[in-house]
Amino acid sequence: MAEALKTFVKAFCREFSGVPECQVLASYDNAVKSKYDASRVYRLSPQDELARAQRSFSATSRYASFAHLVRDRTDRGSRVAKLLDENARDVAHDLEATGRIFLDIDLWKELKANFIRTDAFRTAFSAALQADGLAYDLPGFWQAIDDETGRLDMVLADNVETIKDVQRGVIAACVYASLAGARDNRQEMGFALRETPVSVGGIAPVVTDSALREAQLVPVVMAGPDPLDYSTQLDDGARAVTVYRFSETQGARIGREDRAWCADRGRCPVVTRAAYASRHHCEITFDCGRWTIADVGTDGQGSRYGTLVTPADLEALPVLLQGDSCELHHGDLICIFPRRVLSGDYCAANFSWASRMRDENYRFEVLG
């Protein structure tokens, strides 16, 4: 019997009260038309239901695999997709209406997909997967779920697309696991960040043959509040990650629309995707034998939300810049658009980076 699928669907319908189980099942098996069909599905083995679901969409050639079918039907064109999108929009609207722009992990408490993070569901779902013979790698499966839910750490309330994407990802992963097996299936579900862990301190400089001093900015993804807990961004299958390299005479400027400005002035343009970053946010230059970073802002008076510099020297304190500058050292981390995490004075201790946000954080490296 499809115990895992039954456990998941019933938990989903408890959160989205009033939604019949057959509508959830029909999102992935279009042969399901009524509550009687739902009862028959639960009596099938997971393998038989998987084959049935695949056959029910066999007329649609766009599905290259069952994993593709599950993710696509969770993203759009199904009752489940509609419910998740409505919930994400409602939560974002309610949070903005109450002035909660900067959020922490308790955003999940507002979302209906939060049931996946509860101990009760995880215990029941794990037991059902074991009963179905689908518990191939439960630790890996739950780690993938936790990594995906972690993307909502410090997300902005108006970032509805990210909220939607994360909810869809964890729901799709559970549906897929209930029929095809629980494992670290982040690649099949399309929400993996292929990363290589690195440490902040002790990064060896790259040796170059250039007569000029050179440096580069490497995009990184912060995984948590600890400055040791980050990874470099690698090619995630959609696009290659750009490493920004520049000389002492060139320097670099980070911002939203810096390409034309930088072309006129010879700067290396680093275009960030950080929400609310200034058009001309900050600038890195070399002068008097040292590299410095200045928070400039579009009007030259400093960016609106500042720039956070976390030193590679873990004994040194982070620096929050707004209209001023500081020295940069090899391995320092630069955060564009730092998030306020504590109330109080405008100082680095009350700000942090947004976990798992891409193209917002960079590691500064001296070359040779």
Side-chain angles (χ1 to χ4, degrees):
M1 295 181 65
E3 290 296 329
L5 182 63
K6 181 179 180 180
T7 299
F8 167 77
V9 172
K10 287 186 176 296
F12 185 94
C13 291
R14 279 194 296 271
E15 294 300 318
F16 292 88
S17 57
V19 178
E21 294 176 25
C22 61
Q23 291 187 8
V24 177
L25 290 168
S27 296
Y28 306 99
D29 181 350
N30 64 7
V32 176
K33 305 296 183 182
S34 69
K35 64 180 181 181
Y36 303 106
D37 291 330
S39 298
R40 284 192 286 270
V41 165
Y42 295 147
R43 289 195 293 270
L44 295 173
S45 70
Q47 295 76 17
D48 288 342
E49 173 52 23
L50 186 152
R52 199 179 97 132
Q54 289 174 317
R55 287 195 303 272
S56 73
F57 282 96
S58 60
T60 312
S61 60
R62 68 176 181 272
Y63 296 120
S65 65
F66 185 64
H68 182 202
L69 183 156
V70 169
R71 187 61 206 251
D72 184 68
R73 295 292 294 171
T74 308
D75 286 353
R76 54 187 171 268
S78 71
R79 180 64 168 151
V80 166
K82 183 178 180 180
L83 290 168
L84 294 174
D85 285 359
E86 288 176 350
N87 180 234
R89 286 195 299 269
D90 290 346
V91 167
H93 179 269
D94 290 346
L95 292 172
E96 286 189 277
T98 56
R100 293 174 60 191
I101 299 175
F102 297 97
L103 306 172
D104 53 28
I105 194 63
D106 70 356
L107 168 61
W108 272 105
K109 298 175 183 177
E110 312 285 343
L111 297 171
K112 291 190 175 182
N114 185 52
F115 74 89
I116 289 176
R117 299 175 64 247
T118 65
D119 291 339
F121 173 76
R122 293 193 174 203
T123 299
F125 193 58
S126 295
L129 288 166
Q130 291 172 333
D132 288 340
L134 297 174
Y136 302 141
D137 178 14
L138 284 177
F141 170 73
W142 290 119
Q143 184 60 58
I145 293 292
D146 289 340
D147 285 351
E148 183 69 355
T149 60
R151 288 177 56 200
L152 292 192
D153 291 4
M154 299 300 296
V155 75
L156 292 176
D158 62 356
N159 195 345
V160 181
E161 289 307 313
T162 297
I163 298 173
K164 288 181 182 179
D165 190 58
V166 173
Q167 279 211 112
R168 294 165 181 164
V170 295
I171 292 296
C174 287
V175 173
Y176 184 73
S178 68
L179 294 173
R183 58 178 67 84
D184 185 346
N185 58 17
R186 66 186 83 198
Q187 288 284 48
E188 291 96 327
M189 291 300 97
F191 57 70
L193 288 179
R194 285 159 48 188
E195 304 165 347
T196 300
V198 295
S199 62
V200 176
I203 305 166
V206 178
V207 177
T208 71
D209 296 327
S210 174
L212 296 173
R213 294 178 179 85
E214 293 183 321
Q216 65 185 20
L217 291 175
V218 180
V220 299
V221 174
M222 311 307 299
D226 191 323
L228 286 171
D229 193 9
Y230 77 92
S231 304
T232 58
Q233 291 180 200
L234 301 178
D235 184 4
D236 63 5
R239 63 179 179 84
V241 172
T242 301
V243 174
Y244 302 92
R245 186 169 176 173
F246 46 91
S247 70
E248 62 180 283
T249 58
Q250 182 183 25
R253 178 169 275 200
I254 306 173
R256 287 187 293 107
E257 304 172 21
D258 274 12
R259 293 193 184 280
W261 187 96
C262 290
D264 290 341
R265 294 160 179 80
R267 292 278 190 264
C268 173
V270 182
V271 180
T272 179
R273 295 166 61 190
Y276 303 114
S278 298
R279 182 181 179 189
H280 303 311
H281 196 92
C282 61
E283 185 168 314
I284 298 173
T285 57
F286 184 86
D287 188 35
C288 299
R290 63 176 189 165
W291 292 96
T292 59
I293 180 170
D295 182 83
V296 291
T298 304
D299 60 1
Q301 303 301 309
S303 65
R304 181 174 181 181
Y305 292 100
T307 304
L308 182 67
V309 179
T310 301
D313 180 359
L314 298 181
E315 295 184 358
L317 295 175
V319 179
L320 183 63
L321 304 173
Q322 191 170 46
D324 48 355
S325 63
C326 72
E327 187 173 355
L328 273 180
H329 301 90
H330 183 67
D332 287 355
L333 299 177
I334 302 167
C335 172
I336 308 303
F337 182 41
R339 272 63 162 178
R340 179 179 283 276
V341 293
L342 296 173
S343 60
D345 297 336
Y346 190 85
C347 63
N350 294 328
F351 287 78
S352 185
W353 46 73
S355 296
R356 305 193 181 281
M357 298 302 291
R358 303 175 71 80
D359 298 314
E360 290 195 8
N361 308 293
Y362 303 89
R363 184 180 68 204
F364 175 75
E365 297 181 355
V366 176
L367 306 179

